[in-house]
Each structure stands twice: as C-alpha cells, then as structure tokens.
Amino acid sequence: MERWFCDEVLPLEASLTRYLRRNWRTAEQVMDIRQDIYEAALNGGRQDLPANTAGFVFTIARNILINRSKLERIVQFEQFADLESLDQGVDLSATDRHLDARDALRRAQDGIDRLPPRCREVVRLRKIEGLTAREAAARMGVGVDTIERQLVLGIRAMADTMLGGTGRIRRGADNRLGKARSR
C-alpha cells in the first residue's frame, strides 16, 4: 500500500493542487484540503486499492470540497444561534481528532528530521514556506529540476516514515523498478 501511495497518489500532487486552486475560493486552505484528501486516499486504499487511482483521488477531492462548502454554509447560520443553549460538555471526538492530528504532526516532523539536509531544505522551502520550485531553486542556487527531484524523493521518504517505514530515500534501481511496474 505504501508503494501504491508513493508511486500513484503522490505524482498527482501538481494536478490535484491545480484542481483545488481552481475550485476552492480560499488559497490558504488548499494545502490543508490536499492533506485531507491524502488521508482519505490512504484510508480508502487500506480497504482496497482502486483500479483507477486518479479517478479515486479526484472523486475524494470533489467530495471533500462539497462537504467543506456545505459546512461553511452551516457555520454561517451558527453565528446566530443562541450560544447559551449550547452544551458546554467535552467533545470526545474532537479530543480524539486533536490527539490524532498531534500524532500525525509528530510523524511528519520525524519524517522531515530523517531527510538528508539538502532534501530537507527543499521540502521545507516548498511545502512549509510555500515557495515555488523556481523560487526555491534560486534560493538554494540549484536548478528547478533538482528541486523537483529532491521534493519527490523527500515526500516519498516522509510518507514512508509516516506509514511506519524507515524513511530511507530510494534512488536508482528502486525508482526504475517502481516505474517499470506502473507501466
């Protein structure tokens, strides 16, 4: 399943991001939505790997956008609700989600920490600071193709770490083998 995610889902990132930017009005939320899509794809992939990964991922994206849009409409009505009538009890599901989010964040940080310095810097610039490939390349003094290659390797290694693997960067024969299988 890890190989499926790294070889088939992660390469869709650029087109998925473009899709989200076209269809969601708040640019600052696009990366969060994309992570929600990845989480849903991972959960769905655990049950059964889809025959058409791109269709599967973009269907998840569409459904998440629809759900978020509905939720935003509901939130607007809640502004007028009588706040005194709300139950002030602890929401255990929110607590569980908070703990799950902290665990995911810890695993992501662990994945970043395990990356080689150059790869870590590329992931930081592109995914945390939000620089374009061209901006990151200029800052690091390397070519755009190097940034893109390092980003793919870094994200794959991070995903491997987050899924319980070693987080090692796989180059050469491993990548050629994965490409040969996906053809």
Side-chain angles (χ1 to χ4, degrees), residues 76-151:
Q76 291 173 359
F77 288 112
E78 288 177 353
Q79 292 174 359
F80 301 104
D82 180 14
L83 296 178
E84 299 298 321
S85 66
L86 292 176
D87 182 14
Q88 299 297 322
V90 175
D91 181 3
L92 294 178
S93 63
T95 303
D96 287 343
R97 286 191 308 270
H98 183 73
L99 291 173
D100 288 344
R102 277 191 176 181
D103 186 49
L105 183 59
R106 182 195 50 76
R107 288 190 319 254
Q109 184 62 53
D110 187 38
I112 289 173
D113 292 344
R114 290 184 184 195
L115 294 174
R118 182 177 182 177
C119 194
R120 183 182 321 125
E121 181 68 5
V122 168
V123 170
R124 187 184 65 75
L125 291 173
R126 293 280 286 125
K127 298 300 175 188
I128 297 173
E129 290 189 23
L131 297 182
T132 65
R134 184 169 284 130
E135 291 168 336
R139 189 175 290 183
M140 292 182 69
V142 297
V144 172
D145 57 330
T146 300
I147 295 294
E148 291 171 352
R149 192 171 42 253
Q150 290 289 312
L151 182 63

Side-chain angles (χ1 to χ4, degrees), residues 8 15 29 40-41 57 60 62 67 69 87 90 95 104 113 123 143 150 156-158 160 166-167 172:
E8 295 189 35
S15 57
Q29 295 176 344
V57 170
I60 291 171
R62 185 194 69 208
N67 290 342
S69 182
D87 182 14
V90 175
T95 303
D113 292 344
V123 170
Q150 290 289 312
R156 284 182 179 170
M158 283 182 61
D160 182 53
T166 63

Side-chain angles (χ1 to χ4, degrees), residues 69-79:
S69 182
K70 287 178 182 178
L71 183 63
E72 281 194 354
R73 283 189 223 127
I74 292 169
V75 169
Q76 291 173 359
F77 288 112
E78 288 177 353
Q79 292 174 359

Side-chain angles (χ1 to χ4, degrees), residues 38-57:
Y38 287 162
E39 180 181 3
L42 276 169
N43 289 334
R46 283 187 182 111
Q47 296 169 6
D48 190 26
L49 293 180
N52 178 357
T53 300
F56 177 68
V57 170

